[in-house]
Amino acid sequence: MAISTEVSAQLYDESVGVIPGGVNSPVRRYDPYPFFASKSDGCNIWDVDGNRFIDLCNGYGSMLLGHRYDDVIQAVIAQLKRGTLYCTPTQLETTLSSLIAESYASIDMARAVNTGSEATMTAVRLARGYTENTKVVTFEGGYHGAHDSVLVKAGSGSATLPTSKGVLSQTTEQTLVAKYNDTEGFADVVESSEDVAAVIMEPVMANMGLILPDKKFLDAVRHITKQRGIVLIFDEVVTGFRVSDGGAQRYFGVTPDITTLAKALGNGFGVAAVGGRRDIMEMLAPLGDVYQASTFAGNPVATTAAISSIRAMRSMGSKLYDTLDVYCTRISNTIHDVAADNKIPHRVHHISSMFQVFFSEEDVYDYATAKKSDTVKFKQLFNLLLNRGVFIPPSQFETAFLSGAMTDDDINDIVTAYTESMEALA
């Protein structure tokens, strides 16, 4: 069976004439063309042709509470009536930073920014200013935004490309790359230079598919960085407030020096934050000599959305995360069982409300093993699911996400769609 997407096709033809590639972010493009959304609600998204999909992309993890979550929307509407941008301080900003600090034991102070990329860029600059060193260690397949320092062997949409043109070699020379889940290799990379300012990492890799950390590996990274006076940055743009209300750092019991947050922080609104130890954060201007500024940072609309989102997560408490974990485990187990019954080589990873299947005959634990997966088969799975009313991220190197708007009936529909799609792949 196939859905009709005639209107999306027409709109895509128009978009390619005025938008590079027809999209404003590369991960949104897939063959032959993406569907164009018209509206969303709860766990559903509709396209311009009238097709309804259960949304497992969920704004690439942003919509933890679901689309158009009423408390957030009502709070934002009330703020819109009071104003959209002041460019002077508001009490809202203090409230947001306080809520973030209460949620994350590693954060004494936090500054609001607009995007995850802006947060990680600021975090790296802070680490360099604090240590007065220059080099940054990243991990193969990690994605920390589209700025120069971190676009080296990166994940997400860039996983299909070599290092981006336009990035200066002088910049990439300051970036050292280690392998994820390889403690010995990481130690060797760190010891290769006396000039390492920071290690930036996704504690759970969510931009080369979903790859879980060995807890001993995370502990070793923390031990080595602390021993050598290197700033450890946890990029929790994806996992912050999603894996738990205290992020992956609470889930695994590992404390970084700086944390970056975005996505679920605003439940669909453009807001992010960088936070950490007081002595590091006070390096930021106007207190210190590390410069960061933004017209829209801390704007009252996005800040209101973030405050309302955090309070909603807190009000639901463990029930939200426990329910999503049960749902995610059921879906993951179903994928595994059906694939095994049909003799399809596979690995299924899941944590909290995140999951991904790799079509691979070997374990997937880092970038190199993720890249060996059968991406052709994954694209087939994507199309099979889409035709059955389930929308997942179109790339093997992304992750599927559940939302708190999902019900038992929605999970039953997802399980059915995956079962039928996996059987069709056999």
Side-chain angles (χ1 to χ4, degrees):
M1 57 182 171
I3 58 175
S4 172
T5 57
E6 292 181 6
V7 180
S8 284
Q10 294 170 5
L11 292 179
Y12 182 69
D13 285 343
E14 294 174 13
S15 71
V16 293
V18 292
I19 301 173
V23 293
N24 282 309
S25 183
V27 293
R28 300 174 192 171
R29 169 69 172 84
Y30 56 85
D31 291 332
Y33 51 83
F35 72 78
F36 278 57
S38 63
K39 64 178 181 178
S40 62
D41 186 55
C43 68
N44 298 305
I45 188 168
W46 284 262
D47 70 7
V48 290
D49 290 275
N51 300 301
R52 179 181 68 87
F53 307 100
I54 298 176
D55 189 8
L56 292 181
C57 182
N58 271 308
Y60 289 91
S62 299
M63 315 303 298
L64 176 65
L65 302 172
H67 294 279
R68 293 172 56 195
Y69 188 77
D70 190 60
D71 287 356
V72 176
I73 296 300
Q74 293 306 317
V76 167
I77 289 173
Q79 178 55 51
L80 286 171
K81 294 178 180 179
R82 292 191 290 269
T84 59
L85 185 66
Y86 308 134
C87 287
T88 64
T90 66
Q91 186 177 359
L92 292 168
E93 295 164 84
T94 304
T95 300
L96 175 57
S97 290
S98 296
L99 286 170
I100 290 172
E102 290 169 11
S103 299
Y104 290 77
S106 67
I107 295 178
D108 298 322
M109 307 180 83
R111 177 169 284 186
V113 291
N114 301 289
T115 66
S117 288
E118 190 178 346
T120 57
M121 181 175 64
T122 302
V124 169
R125 186 177 298 164
L126 259 176
R128 285 175 166 151
Y130 180 78
T131 63
E132 297 187 354
N133 290 332
T134 60
K135 288 187 167 53
V136 175
V137 177
T138 64
F139 291 89
E140 285 185 344
Y143 182 71
H144 308 291
H147 52 99
D148 291 5
S149 293
V150 292
L151 271 182
V152 182
K153 295 187 178 180
S156 188
S158 65
T160 59
L161 299 169
T163 300
S164 172
K165 287 187 176 181
V167 176
L168 300 177
S169 60
Q170 295 94 319
T171 300
T172 60
E173 287 168 2
Q174 302 304 318
T175 304
L176 308 176
V177 182
K179 292 182 178 180
Y180 190 68
N181 275 329
D182 180 353
T183 299
E184 185 176 341
F186 168 72
D188 289 342
V189 169
V190 169
E191 290 169 7
S192 70
S193 173
E194 295 294 327
D195 194 32
V196 177
V199 171
I200 183 169
M201 67 184 301
E202 296 177 87
V204 176
M205 287 288 200
N207 288 285
M208 54 182 181
L210 177 65
I211 298 182
L212 307 181
D214 182 328
K215 174 60 163 57
K216 292 181 179 178
F217 171 69
L218 289 183
D219 288 338
V221 170
R222 174 69 282 189
H223 174 75
I224 292 169
T225 51
K226 186 173 290 187
Q227 189 178 51
R228 295 179 63 91
I230 297 169
V231 173
L232 177 59
I233 303 167
F234 268 10
D235 179 354
E236 295 225 46
V237 164
V238 174
T239 54
F241 291 105
R242 177 163 278 282
V243 170
S244 78
D245 58 0
Q249 55 194 264
R250 179 187 295 172
Y251 190 98
F252 290 101
V254 180
T255 303
D257 301 306
I258 299 177
T259 300
T260 61
L261 302 167
K263 295 193 184 292
L265 175 64
N267 203 65
F269 286 83
V271 61
V274 55
R277 289 186 353 225
R278 184 175 300 275
D279 60 327
I280 297 176
M281 294 302 297
E282 288 185 340
M283 295 289 296
L284 283 172
L287 282 181
D289 297 328
V290 176
Y291 194 74
Q292 179 275 332
S294 171
T295 296
F296 290 96
N299 75 79
V301 176
T303 302
T304 294
I307 291 170
S308 183
S309 296
I310 295 173
R311 286 176 172 167
M313 297 170 206
R314 285 187 169 187
S315 70
M316 287 181 274
S318 60
K319 181 180 178 181
L320 170 66
Y321 297 98
D322 290 348
T323 299
L324 290 176
D325 183 66
V326 169
Y327 284 163
C328 196
T329 300
R330 183 186 170 201
I331 294 168
S332 300
N333 288 346
T334 296
I335 296 170
H336 167 72
D337 291 345
V338 176
D341 289 345
N342 287 276
K343 296 181 172 54
I344 301 173
H346 70 284
R347 294 293 187 275
V348 185
H349 295 174
H350 68 94
I351 182 173
S352 190
S353 58
M354 306 161 61
F355 71 94
Q356 184 58 293
V357 56
F358 298 89
F359 293 107
S360 176
E361 295 184 354
E362 60 183 87
D363 290 340
V364 179
Y365 52 85
D366 64 7
Y367 186 58
T369 50
K371 292 282 281 186
K372 292 180 181 179
S373 300
D374 188 340
T375 57
V376 173
K377 191 174 289 292
F378 185 88
K379 289 178 181 177
Q380 293 171 339
L381 174 66
F382 168 79
N383 286 313
L384 288 165
L385 287 169
L386 199 67
N387 285 321
R388 288 167 172 78
V390 173
F391 173 49
I392 64 172
S395 170
Q396 171 70 84
F397 304 113
E398 298 292 345
T399 301
F401 300 91
L402 305 185
S403 76
M406 291 176 174
T407 66
D408 290 346
D409 287 342
D410 297 316
I411 301 305
N412 289 338
D413 289 342
I414 293 168
V415 165
T416 298
Y418 264 101
T419 298
E420 292 177 354
S421 298
M422 295 296 287
E423 289 174 344
L425 283 176

